[in-house]
Amino acid sequence: MYNDVGSRPGVPPNSIPSQPNPFGNAFNVAGSGLIRGGLGAYGGKILGSSSEYVQSNISRYFSDPQYYFQVNDHYVKNKLKVVLFPFLHRGHWTRITEPVGGRLSYKPPIYDINAPDLYIPLMAFGTYIILAGLSLGLRGKFSPEALSLLFIKGLLGWFMQASLLKVTLLSLGCGEGPLLDIIAYAGYTFTGICLAVFGKIISGYSYYFLMPWTCLCMGVFLVKTMKRVLFAEVRSYDSSKHHYLLLFIALVQFPLFTWLGNITVNWLL
Protein backbone atom coordinates (compact mmCIF):
# COMPACT_ATOMS: atom_id res chain seq x y z
CA MET A 1 0.00 0.00 0.00
CA TYR A 2 2.84 2.41 0.86
CA ASN A 3 4.61 1.42 -2.30
CA ASP A 4 1.54 2.34 -4.32
CA VAL A 5 1.48 5.80 -2.76
CA GLY A 6 5.16 6.31 -3.34
CA SER A 7 4.77 5.24 -6.97
CA ARG A 8 2.04 7.76 -7.80
CA PRO A 9 2.96 10.13 -10.56
CA GLY A 10 3.86 13.66 -9.43
CA VAL A 11 4.73 12.59 -5.87
CA PRO A 12 8.46 12.16 -5.18
CA PRO A 13 9.38 8.91 -3.43
CA ASN A 14 10.19 8.91 0.27
CA SER A 15 8.92 12.48 0.74
CA ILE A 16 7.35 13.21 4.09
CA PRO A 17 5.41 16.45 4.41
CA SER A 18 7.00 18.79 7.03
CA GLN A 19 4.90 19.97 9.94
CA PRO A 20 4.80 23.76 10.43
CA ASN A 21 6.36 25.09 13.64
CA PRO A 22 4.10 27.80 14.98
CA PHE A 23 6.75 28.95 17.51
CA GLY A 24 9.77 29.08 15.20
CA ASN A 25 8.78 32.11 13.17
CA ALA A 26 7.53 33.91 16.25
CA PHE A 27 10.85 33.34 18.05
CA ASN A 28 12.82 34.35 14.98
CA VAL A 29 10.81 37.53 14.45
CA ALA A 30 10.89 38.43 18.13
CA GLY A 31 14.61 37.69 18.43
CA SER A 32 15.54 39.65 15.32
CA GLY A 33 13.27 42.49 16.42
CA LEU A 34 14.91 42.66 19.84
CA ILE A 35 18.37 42.55 18.31
CA ARG A 36 17.55 45.20 15.75
CA GLY A 37 15.84 47.36 18.37
CA GLY A 38 18.66 47.02 20.88
CA LEU A 39 21.39 47.64 18.36
CA GLY A 40 19.43 50.47 16.81
CA ALA A 41 18.88 52.19 20.13
CA TYR A 42 22.47 51.66 21.21
CA GLY A 43 23.84 52.77 17.85
CA GLY A 44 21.49 55.73 17.73
CA LYS A 45 22.63 56.77 21.19
CA ILE A 46 26.29 56.53 20.17
CA LEU A 47 25.75 58.32 16.86
CA GLY A 48 23.52 60.89 18.49
CA SER A 49 26.06 61.73 21.19
CA SER A 50 28.85 61.79 18.62
CA SER A 51 26.80 64.04 16.35
CA GLU A 52 26.03 66.41 19.21
CA TYR A 53 29.70 66.47 20.21
CA VAL A 54 30.84 67.20 16.67
CA GLN A 55 28.17 69.85 16.14
CA SER A 56 28.96 71.54 19.44
CA ASN A 57 32.68 71.70 18.62
CA ILE A 58 32.03 72.85 15.06
CA SER A 59 29.76 75.63 16.26
CA ARG A 60 32.26 76.46 18.97
CA TYR A 61 35.30 76.82 16.77
CA PHE A 62 34.02 77.16 13.21
CA SER A 63 30.40 78.36 13.46
CA ASP A 64 28.09 77.80 10.50
CA PRO A 65 29.90 78.53 7.20
CA GLN A 66 26.63 79.60 5.57
CA TYR A 67 26.32 82.36 8.17
CA TYR A 68 29.28 84.23 6.66
CA PHE A 69 27.78 84.42 3.17
CA GLN A 70 24.41 85.93 4.08
CA VAL A 71 25.16 89.30 2.48
CA ASN A 72 23.60 91.67 -0.02
CA ASP A 73 24.71 94.72 -1.98
CA HIS A 74 23.72 97.11 0.79
CA TYR A 75 25.81 95.26 3.36
CA VAL A 76 28.86 94.97 1.07
CA LYS A 77 28.81 98.69 0.29
CA ASN A 78 28.48 99.73 3.93
CA LYS A 79 31.03 97.16 5.13
CA LEU A 80 33.62 98.44 2.69
CA LYS A 81 33.03 101.94 4.03
CA VAL A 82 33.61 100.73 7.58
CA VAL A 83 36.82 98.89 6.65
CA LEU A 84 38.31 101.55 4.38
CA PHE A 85 37.01 104.59 6.29
CA PRO A 86 36.58 103.53 9.93
CA PHE A 87 36.82 107.15 11.10
CA LEU A 88 33.49 107.87 9.42
CA HIS A 89 31.64 105.04 11.16
CA ARG A 90 29.35 106.82 13.61
CA GLY A 91 27.45 103.79 14.81
CA HIS A 92 28.40 101.32 17.51
CA TRP A 93 30.92 98.52 16.95
CA THR A 94 29.16 95.80 18.94
CA ARG A 95 27.33 92.95 17.24
CA ILE A 96 23.56 92.53 17.46
CA THR A 97 22.22 89.46 19.23
CA GLU A 98 18.90 87.66 18.97
CA PRO A 99 17.38 84.72 20.91
CA VAL A 100 17.57 81.46 18.94
CA GLY A 101 16.68 78.12 20.50
CA GLY A 102 16.70 79.46 24.03
CA ARG A 103 20.10 81.16 23.78
CA LEU A 104 21.51 84.33 22.30
CA SER A 105 23.03 84.21 18.82
CA TYR A 106 24.52 86.87 16.61
CA LYS A 107 22.51 88.17 13.69
CA PRO A 108 23.91 87.38 10.22
CA PRO A 109 25.83 90.01 8.26
CA ILE A 110 22.81 90.98 6.17
CA TYR A 111 21.20 92.38 9.34
CA ASP A 112 24.32 93.59 11.18
CA ILE A 113 27.07 95.74 9.69
CA ASN A 114 29.47 94.70 12.47
CA ALA A 115 29.11 90.97 11.78
CA PRO A 116 32.06 89.29 10.03
CA ASP A 117 31.60 87.77 6.58
CA LEU A 118 33.75 85.74 4.23
CA TYR A 119 32.32 87.08 0.97
CA ILE A 120 34.29 90.35 1.01
CA PRO A 121 37.61 88.74 2.13
CA LEU A 122 37.43 86.06 -0.56
CA MET A 123 36.49 88.56 -3.28
CA ALA A 124 39.23 90.92 -2.09
CA PHE A 125 41.78 88.11 -2.10
CA GLY A 126 40.83 87.13 -5.65
CA THR A 127 41.03 90.77 -6.73
CA TYR A 128 44.47 91.02 -5.13
CA ILE A 129 45.72 88.11 -7.24
CA ILE A 130 44.24 89.63 -10.43
CA LEU A 131 45.77 93.05 -9.73
CA ALA A 132 49.11 91.43 -8.91
CA GLY A 133 49.09 89.60 -12.24
CA LEU A 134 48.13 92.80 -14.04
CA SER A 135 50.93 94.70 -12.34
CA LEU A 136 53.47 92.07 -13.36
CA GLY A 137 52.11 92.01 -16.92
CA LEU A 138 52.46 95.77 -17.34
CA ARG A 139 56.11 95.47 -16.34
CA GLY A 140 56.72 92.50 -18.62
CA LYS A 141 57.38 90.11 -15.74
CA PHE A 142 54.21 88.03 -15.79
CA SER A 143 54.45 84.26 -15.66
CA PRO A 144 52.23 81.51 -14.26
CA GLU A 145 54.95 80.60 -11.78
CA ALA A 146 55.19 84.18 -10.50
CA LEU A 147 51.42 84.38 -10.12
CA SER A 148 51.39 81.09 -8.22
CA LEU A 149 54.05 82.41 -5.85
CA LEU A 150 52.02 85.58 -5.27
CA PHE A 151 49.00 83.41 -4.51
CA ILE A 152 51.03 81.61 -1.86
CA LYS A 153 52.29 84.96 -0.58
CA GLY A 154 48.71 86.19 -0.18
CA LEU A 155 47.66 83.05 1.68
CA LEU A 156 50.68 83.33 3.95
CA GLY A 157 49.85 86.96 4.70
CA TRP A 158 46.26 86.00 5.51
CA PHE A 159 47.50 83.26 7.80
CA MET A 160 49.90 85.62 9.56
CA GLN A 161 47.14 88.16 10.19
CA ALA A 162 44.77 85.50 11.53
CA SER A 163 47.54 84.06 13.71
CA LEU A 164 48.19 87.51 15.14
CA LEU A 165 44.56 87.92 16.16
CA LYS A 166 44.37 84.38 17.53
CA VAL A 167 47.55 84.74 19.60
CA THR A 168 46.25 88.04 20.94
CA LEU A 169 43.07 86.35 22.14
CA LEU A 170 45.02 83.48 23.66
CA SER A 171 47.25 85.88 25.55
CA LEU A 172 44.16 87.32 27.21
CA GLY A 173 42.75 83.90 28.07
CA CYS A 174 40.00 84.04 25.43
CA GLY A 175 41.04 81.59 22.74
CA GLU A 176 37.62 80.05 22.16
CA GLY A 177 36.38 82.54 19.58
CA PRO A 178 35.06 80.99 16.36
CA LEU A 179 37.91 80.43 13.96
CA LEU A 180 35.93 81.65 10.96
CA ASP A 181 35.34 84.96 12.74
CA ILE A 182 39.09 85.46 13.06
CA ILE A 183 39.69 84.38 9.45
CA ALA A 184 37.04 86.82 8.25
CA TYR A 185 38.44 89.76 10.22
CA ALA A 186 41.96 88.96 9.00
CA GLY A 187 40.75 88.71 5.40
CA TYR A 188 39.59 92.33 5.34
CA THR A 189 43.27 93.17 5.00
CA PHE A 190 43.08 92.59 1.25
CA THR A 191 40.48 95.32 0.73
CA GLY A 192 43.01 98.00 1.61
CA ILE A 193 45.85 96.24 -0.21
CA CYS A 194 43.77 96.03 -3.38
CA LEU A 195 43.15 99.77 -3.21
CA ALA A 196 46.87 100.48 -2.76
CA VAL A 197 47.97 98.10 -5.55
CA PHE A 198 45.34 99.53 -7.90
CA GLY A 199 46.59 103.04 -7.15
CA LYS A 200 50.13 101.90 -7.90
CA ILE A 201 49.03 100.58 -11.29
CA ILE A 202 47.30 103.86 -12.16
CA SER A 203 49.98 106.13 -10.74
CA GLY A 204 53.10 105.14 -8.87
CA TYR A 205 52.97 108.26 -6.71
CA SER A 206 49.49 107.50 -5.38
CA TYR A 207 50.82 104.26 -3.90
CA TYR A 208 52.89 106.21 -1.37
CA PHE A 209 49.73 107.90 -0.15
CA LEU A 210 47.31 104.99 -0.34
CA MET A 211 49.54 102.44 1.36
CA PRO A 212 50.01 104.39 4.66
CA TRP A 213 46.33 105.36 4.61
CA THR A 214 45.08 101.79 4.18
CA CYS A 215 47.50 100.59 6.86
CA LEU A 216 46.19 103.18 9.29
CA CYS A 217 42.55 102.42 8.47
CA MET A 218 43.05 98.67 8.84
CA GLY A 219 44.80 99.20 12.15
CA VAL A 220 41.91 101.33 13.44
CA PHE A 221 39.35 98.82 12.17
CA LEU A 222 41.06 95.89 13.88
CA VAL A 223 41.56 97.81 17.12
CA LYS A 224 37.88 98.77 17.24
CA THR A 225 36.81 95.26 16.32
CA MET A 226 39.08 93.49 18.78
CA LYS A 227 38.13 95.90 21.56
CA ARG A 228 34.35 95.84 21.09
CA VAL A 229 33.71 92.41 19.57
CA LEU A 230 36.41 89.83 20.29
CA PHE A 231 37.42 91.13 23.72
CA ALA A 232 33.81 91.38 24.84
CA GLU A 233 33.91 87.81 26.17
CA VAL A 234 36.99 88.42 28.31
CA ARG A 235 35.79 88.83 31.87
CA SER A 236 39.05 89.86 33.53
CA TYR A 237 42.29 91.02 32.03
CA ASP A 238 45.12 93.45 32.57
CA SER A 239 44.04 96.77 31.05
CA SER A 240 47.62 97.86 30.40
CA LYS A 241 48.34 94.59 28.61
CA HIS A 242 45.11 95.02 26.70
CA HIS A 243 46.17 98.44 25.35
CA TYR A 244 49.67 97.27 24.48
CA LEU A 245 48.28 94.37 22.48
CA LEU A 246 45.91 96.64 20.59
CA LEU A 247 48.76 99.00 19.79
CA PHE A 248 50.87 96.05 18.62
CA ILE A 249 48.09 94.89 16.27
CA ALA A 250 47.89 98.38 14.75
CA LEU A 251 51.66 98.67 14.27
CA VAL A 252 52.02 95.25 12.66
CA GLN A 253 49.76 96.37 9.80
CA PHE A 254 52.50 98.61 8.34
CA PRO A 255 55.11 95.90 7.64
CA LEU A 256 52.41 93.40 6.64
CA PHE A 257 50.82 95.79 4.13
CA THR A 258 54.21 96.81 2.77
CA TRP A 259 55.18 93.18 2.23
CA LEU A 260 51.90 92.18 0.56
CA GLY A 261 51.76 95.36 -1.53
CA ASN A 262 55.23 94.78 -2.95
CA ILE A 263 54.35 92.91 -6.15
CA THR A 264 57.58 91.33 -7.40
CA VAL A 265 58.69 88.05 -8.90
CA ASN A 266 60.48 87.19 -5.68
CA TRP A 267 57.54 86.66 -3.34
CA LEU A 268 59.76 86.71 -0.25
CA LEU A 269 60.43 90.44 -0.76
Side-chain angles (χ1 to χ4, degrees):
M1 178 175 63
Y2 295 102
N3 292 333
D4 293 338
V5 174
S7 61
R8 291 179 183 176
V11 179
N14 299 328
S15 63
I16 301 176
S18 60
Q19 296 293 330
N21 186 359
F23 301 100
N25 294 333
F27 285 134
N28 291 335
V29 172
S32 60
L34 289 174
I35 294 175
R36 288 196 302 267
L39 292 178
Y42 184 71
K45 184 177 181 180
I46 294 177
L47 294 178
S49 59
S50 301
S51 177
E52 291 177 359
Y53 176 79
V54 172
Q55 291 179 1
S56 63
N57 280 273
I58 289 178
S59 61
R60 182 179 180 182
Y61 295 104
F62 294 95
S63 298
D64 183 11
Q66 297 180 357
Y67 169 90
Y68 300 90
F69 293 94
Q70 299 182 34
V71 300
N72 56 13
D73 295 339
H74 181 73
Y75 168 82
V76 172
K77 180 179 65 175
N78 291 331
K79 190 69 172 185
L80 289 176
K81 290 181 180 179
V82 173
V83 175
L84 297 176
F85 306 97
F87 304 101
L88 303 179
H89 183 54
R90 301 304 179 187
H92 59 83
W93 289 83
T94 56
R95 296 172 65 178
I96 303 175
T97 58
E98 61 179 351
V100 176
R103 61 180 181 177
L104 292 178
S105 299
Y106 291 116
K107 284 191 174 183
I110 194 174
Y111 301 114
D112 184 10
I113 190 63
N114 295 318
D117 73 281
L118 286 174
Y119 175 80
I120 293 178
L122 289 175
M123 292 298 103
F125 180 78
T127 305
Y128 167 75
I129 300 301
I130 295 174
L131 291 175
L134 179 60
S135 177
L136 291 176
L138 293 176
R139 289 178 289 166
K141 299 181 179 180
F142 176 82
S143 66
E145 293 78 11
L147 193 63
S148 300
L149 292 177
L150 286 172
F151 179 82
I152 298 175
K153 180 179 181 178
L155 288 180
L156 182 59
W158 197 341
F159 173 77
M160 292 169 61
Q161 185 80 289
S163 299
L164 172 65
L165 300 181
K166 184 66 176 180
V167 170
T168 304
L169 291 177
L170 289 174
S171 63
L172 292 177
C174 182
E176 299 182 358
L179 181 60
L180 291 182
D181 280 15
I182 299 175
I183 293 176
Y185 288 125
Y188 292 126
T189 303
F190 293 98
T191 57
I193 293 177
C194 287
L195 182 62
V197 173
F198 180 74
K200 188 175 184 179
I201 293 175
I202 301 301
S203 174
Y205 295 102
S206 63
Y207 174 81
Y208 298 101
F209 167 75
L210 291 174
M211 179 57 71
W213 171 259
T214 53
C215 290
L216 179 62
C217 291
M218 191 62 196
V220 173
F221 172 77
L222 287 179
V223 166
K224 293 287 187 179
T225 300
M226 295 290 288
K227 185 176 181 180
R228 301 298 183 185
V229 178
L230 298 181
F231 286 174
E233 298 180 359
V234 181
R235 296 294 178 264
S236 61
Y237 55 85
D238 187 358
S239 60
S240 60
K241 184 180 180 181
H242 176 195
H243 292 107
Y244 282 127
L245 288 174
L246 291 177
L247 180 61
F248 178 73
I249 290 175
L251 293 177
V252 167
Q253 302 310 309
F254 288 90
L256 180 62
F257 269 63
T258 303
W259 179 61
L260 290 175
N262 186 23
I263 308 300
T264 59
V265 177
N266 187 359
W267 68 280
L268 292 176
L269 300 178

